[in-house]
Amino acid sequence: HKNLFLLSPQQVELAKTLMEMEQSHLFEQWPEPGIDDDEKRAFFDQVARLNSSYPGGLASYIKTARELLAESKAGKNPFDGFTPSVPSGEVLAFGDDNFVQYEEAGMREARKAAFVLVAGGLGERLGYNGIKVALPSESVTGTCFLQLYIESILALQHANCRLVKGDGQAEIPLVIMTSDDTHSRTVDLLEFNAYFGMKPTQVKLLKQEKVACLIDNDAHLALEPNNKYKIQTKPHGHGDVHSLLYSSGLLKQWHDAGLRWVLFFQDTNGLLFKAIPASLGVSAAKQYHVNSLAVPRKAKDAIGGITKLTHKDGRTMVINVEYNQLDPLLRATGYPDGDVNSETGYSPFPGNINQLILELGPYMEELTRTGGSIKEFVNPKYKDSTKTAFKSSTRLECMMQDYPKTLSPSARVGFTVMDTWLAYAPVKNNPEDAAKVPKGNPYHSATSGEMAIYRANSLILRKAGVKVDDPVCQTFNAQEVEVWPRIVWKPKWALTFADVKNKVRGNCTVTQRSTMAIKGQRIFVEDLSLDGALLVDAADRAEVEVGGRVQNKGWIIENVDHKDTSVPEEVRIRGFKFNKVDQLEKTYSEPGKFSLKP
Ligand code: UGB
């Protein structure tokens, strides 16, 4: 009370709210006025930020925290009354007629899409020092994840310009959710690289704030251990993206501009855009309000399971059940073995890859009702079984895929299962942890993420009629992986299977030891026999035919140990590098028709 006169009227209101919410302990160690006055005001600046960045403010945060902590203490099962079962969804097989039709439909829809990348996570499991979107997705071209994503969106945009004649070229918006952990480095990455070719105005960054930590079941807020003027905070989770989008006003702007789809995606999946056109086609054909992308899931994998939950009262929903909850839920509801593989070798529950396609109209309506708040959870680590004290402070968390939890049962919620090799290869685990992954389960490491890109491109070329040699097995950072020819292409060369088929002609062959990078849009590969390294780039107005017999010593893969600090971190976490012994490399920067046929 003695310090109140230091504060502005708004700050006094916040102080009252804190007192009403029984947070007086925060001020217990505050000295007399005249001492640390600036720090006291700064404390209230932080309180104001915490208050304004949470739907309903701090009072609402504390109230929800008390409820959830009481439920957690009582051991309440969040799935009480619900029985899980395997849902049915659209299962696609790459390259068949159905897939090709969905891709075509999806490409037409793309001009009505906006993309939202959640990139506020530090990636603690990976332990990489930089931001994850700055990591190279592969090391043939060194294209980082953010560049790959932006170039993919631009390619969708340009393809639409050709598909939808006379309709003008709409810019596809990109939103990136950052956090204090990633924001400035994301801005630097974009600015340093001229936004990777996107217009700066086309990209919007929304920064998520952390939330206050809690010290006990009464939801008393935690102070930083060494600073009595600072509330301790931790990340609130990727679910923040919904309230941020809502409060930014972007949804309305997009709606007014005639957009129809919002596509959410994560920070390190180098295959993702290979799955976008077809899954967007599914959303349009099925008129899904929510479409989650999924892949077959190995039991115990650290990806959530898409599950149908049926309540005793008859309600049903199709929702992600997070990986740590799926096993206990199954055990408690008549599956005594819990999360195990069926005779197919996979869990019967499709794996959520957290790529969501939401229809904008219904999404906006729902957020107008909820303000964008998402069902939260709390995960305190208790000191003992009395559950009265925590080992360390906790906080509320939320996940973006929990959005459907508040939807009415009439909402059309579906999912699309894709081949894993085509759609999902995230970089999440550090080399040590990846090496401990049970045999047969995916490593989800920098090594496997990169190798998956070469495998996908090789398999796609095979489907398009190219004779691509079988892979060999090699071990990097104690992970055994299939090594296919190192084939990469820019998204503007091909986004869909139809694009690839259109650009590859005649009898082509690629040996396992080969490396191939296609960087230009109008490069046609015809009767090529590749045994070595070939890198071709071309300006958009240059048309190049590549063929004939290309043979050279090529690029040799050399092992690198992840502990070898003389090698840059982004290289050593993948466990290999290229020794670029020899290659055929050509760049066509002038307009015109060219032929590269040695
Ligand atoms: N992220 C944020 O933007 N803000 C945050 O506060 C936290 C994260 P992780 P997670 O597809 O493999 C998810 O840590 O949360 C971003 C799904 O919940 O990589 O363990 C972060 O930058 C799970 O169901 O993953 O698991 C990153 O882009 C499963 O589908 C993204 O959120 C799994 O991903 C995910 O964060 C998966």
Side-chain angles (χ1 to χ4, degrees):
H1 276 121
K2 280 182 262 167
N3 283 294
L4 273 182
F5 76 94
L6 296 170
L7 309 179
S8 68
Q10 291 90 337
Q11 290 177 325
V12 170
E13 280 310 306
L14 287 172
K16 278 192 199 154
T17 306
L18 288 175
M19 298 308 280
E20 278 159 20
M21 298 308 289
E22 293 165 33
Q23 303 291 337
S24 59
H25 68 288
L26 295 172
F27 311 107
E28 260 160 22
Q29 297 176 49
W30 280 31
E32 295 297 307
I35 306 169
D36 296 345
D37 289 351
D38 286 345
E39 285 84 347
K40 291 168 188 164
R41 290 190 197 96
F43 172 87
F44 274 97
D45 289 342
Q46 188 200 10
V47 171
R49 274 199 308 279
L50 291 171
N51 190 56
S52 63
S53 60
Y54 186 83
L58 260 178
S60 166
Y61 179 75
I62 295 165
K63 185 167 162 282
T64 309
R66 284 189 187 134
E67 287 162 12
L68 291 174
L69 286 163
E71 286 178 6
S72 168
K73 183 167 183 237
K76 185 170 177 258
N77 175 355
F79 300 102
D80 216 14
F82 284 103
T83 314
S85 59
V86 180
S88 60
E90 193 66 24
V91 181
L92 302 188
F94 176 81
D96 71 10
D97 289 350
N98 196 33
F99 183 91
V100 169
Q101 277 162 20
Y102 278 134
E103 276 205 323
E104 238 176 68
M107 288 302 287
R108 282 194 301 272
E109 290 298 313
R111 77 197 163 105
K112 291 183 249 160
F115 285 84
V116 180
L117 166 62
V118 290
L122 253 190
E124 279 160 358
R125 279 192 271 160
L126 183 64
Y128 171 60
N129 274 313
I131 49 169
K132 287 174 78 184
V133 290
L135 265 179
S137 56
E138 39 81 8
S139 33
V140 171
T141 63
T143 303
C144 74
F145 283 103
L146 189 55
Q147 176 174 6
L148 177 65
Y149 293 153
I150 288 184
E151 288 181 349
S152 301
I153 294 169
L154 288 174
L156 279 169
Q157 187 174 302
H158 291 139
N160 260 292
C161 180
R162 279 176 269 132
L163 274 174
V164 194
K165 287 189 198 105
D167 210 352
Q169 185 193 338
E171 281 175 12
I172 298 180
L174 168 65
V175 167
I176 307 176
M177 180 171 82
T178 57
S179 68
D180 278 324
D181 295 328
T182 62
H183 187 81
S184 60
R185 283 179 289 177
T186 309
V187 173
D188 291 349
L189 181 66
L190 284 166
E191 287 182 350
F192 188 74
N193 293 287
Y195 286 74
F196 298 110
M198 206 171 239
K199 282 194 196 153
T201 48
Q202 201 173 341
V203 188
K204 294 262 178 319
L205 269 64
L206 300 176
K207 183 161 77 74
Q208 63 175 146
E209 294 294 334
K210 292 183 179 171
V211 288
C213 292
L214 311 156
I215 40 181
D216 55 26
N217 285 325
D218 295 323
H220 285 120
L221 303 186
L223 288 168
E224 292 264 8
N226 300 318
N227 187 349
K228 59 176 176 282
Y229 300 111
K230 193 144 192 226
I231 293 174
Q232 193 187 20
T233 57
K234 284 188 183 166
H236 189 221
H238 35 70
D240 278 346
V241 73
H242 300 293
S243 62
L244 276 174
L245 272 180
Y246 179 66
S247 59
S248 70
L250 282 169
L251 297 180
K252 187 168 178 316
Q253 225 170 292
W254 293 344
H255 195 255
D256 293 346
L259 299 192
R260 189 172 169 209
W261 307 106
V262 189
L263 291 92
F264 296 84
F265 63 109
Q266 301 195 151
D267 49 18
T268 57
N269 181 8
L271 299 182
L272 175 74
F273 277 84
K274 297 187 189 299
I276 295 277
S279 45
L280 189 52
V282 170
S283 270
K286 306 268 168 193
Q287 302 188 322
Y288 280 151
H289 295 172
V290 179
N291 183 10
S292 303
L293 260 70
V295 294
R297 174 179 181 277
K298 287 277 184 188
K300 315 261 183 324
D301 262 3
I303 65 175
I306 309 244
T307 311
K308 181 172 181 182
L309 294 175
T310 307
H311 198 265
K312 281 191 292 221
D313 63 15
R315 269 179 299 147
T316 62
M317 59 177 163
V318 174
I319 193 84
N320 171 69
V321 175
E322 201 57 338
Y323 42 89
N324 55 341
Q325 293 179 319
L326 188 60
D327 187 74
L329 170 67
L330 292 170
R331 284 177 197 277
T333 50
Y335 298 81
D337 299 329
D339 179 18
V340 285
N341 293 325
S342 70
E343 64 283 358
T344 61
Y346 289 93
S347 155
F349 299 92
N352 164 45
I353 64 170
N354 242 15
Q355 154 76 50
L356 308 175
I357 305 179
L358 304 188
E359 187 173 354
L360 178 57
Y363 178 51
M364 246 176 76
E365 267 172 43
E366 176 68 4
L367 292 198
T368 310
R369 195 175 69 77
T370 61
S373 67
I374 292 300
K375 278 234 177 292
E376 294 163 298
F377 60 95
V378 69
N379 191 12
K381 307 280 179 294
Y382 298 108
K383 270 198 176 138
D384 57 39
S385 59
T386 63
K387 293 191 174 177
T388 43
F390 306 159
K391 280 188 191 152
S392 58
S393 66
T394 189
R395 85 292 197 179
L396 301 190
E397 293 176 72
C398 62
M399 300 189 291
M400 76 170 166
Q401 67 270 36
D402 278 346
Y403 162 74
K405 281 193 171 164
T406 55
L407 290 177
S408 88
S410 62
R412 284 192 292 278
V413 182
F415 63 93
T416 306
V417 183
M418 297 266 183
D419 302 295
T420 307
W421 65 260
L422 179 75
Y424 189 56
V427 177
K428 298 207 183 207
N429 291 326
N430 62 57
E432 278 104 348
D433 290 343
K436 287 186 221 142
V437 164
K439 208 172 165 48
N441 284 36
Y443 298 119
H444 291 171
S445 65
T447 314
S448 63
E450 172 159 358
M451 288 299 169
I453 293 176
Y454 305 141
R455 178 180 53 195
N457 289 340
S458 296
L459 288 173
I460 292 170
L461 286 190
R462 266 192 181 176
K463 274 265 178 198
V466 178
K467 199 183 143 298
V468 179
D469 275 1
D470 281 339
V472 298
C473 278
Q474 268 181 277
T475 301
F476 305 107
N477 282 344
Q479 301 155 56
E480 193 184 82
V481 286
E482 280 183 3
V483 182
W484 290 78
R486 278 65 66 203
I487 299 170
V488 292
W489 57 74
K490 287 274 182 197
K492 67 179 169 186
W493 184 71
L495 280 168
T496 62
F497 186 43
D499 292 339
V500 174
K501 282 198 295 190
N502 180 28
K503 299 224 164 124
V504 176
R505 301 161 180 171
N507 289 321
C508 297
T509 59
V510 180
T511 61
Q512 188 279 334
R513 60 174 208 91
S514 294
T515 299
M516 176 161 79
I518 308 178
K519 300 181 185 173
Q521 189 196 318
R522 294 165 70 207
I523 294 173
F524 295 87
V525 182
E526 191 169 331
D527 296 324
L528 171 74
S529 140
L530 175 63
D531 181 35
L534 169 67
L535 301 100
V536 193
D537 196 355
D540 288 354
R541 289 169 60 214
E543 185 177 316
V544 186
E545 242 180 56
V546 182
R549 187 170 166 74
V550 177
Q551 191 169 31
N552 54 51
K553 292 206 175 85
W555 290 10
I556 294 165
I557 300 182
E558 290 178 353
N559 277 68
V560 170
D561 189 280
H562 69 90
K563 293 197 203 93
D564 180 357
T565 48
S566 69
V567 180
E569 194 182 7
E570 52 275 18
V571 176
R572 70 183 128 98
I573 58 171
R574 54 198 77 221
F576 62 86
K577 63 176 186 197
F578 292 120
N579 179 1
K580 301 177 181 175
V581 181
D582 193 12
Q583 68 266 313
L584 174 63
E585 185 167 16
K586 281 268 181 200
T587 300
Y588 299 86
S589 34
E590 300 300 321
K593 278 198 166 200
F594 304 91
S595 165
L596 175 62
K597 291 193 175 165

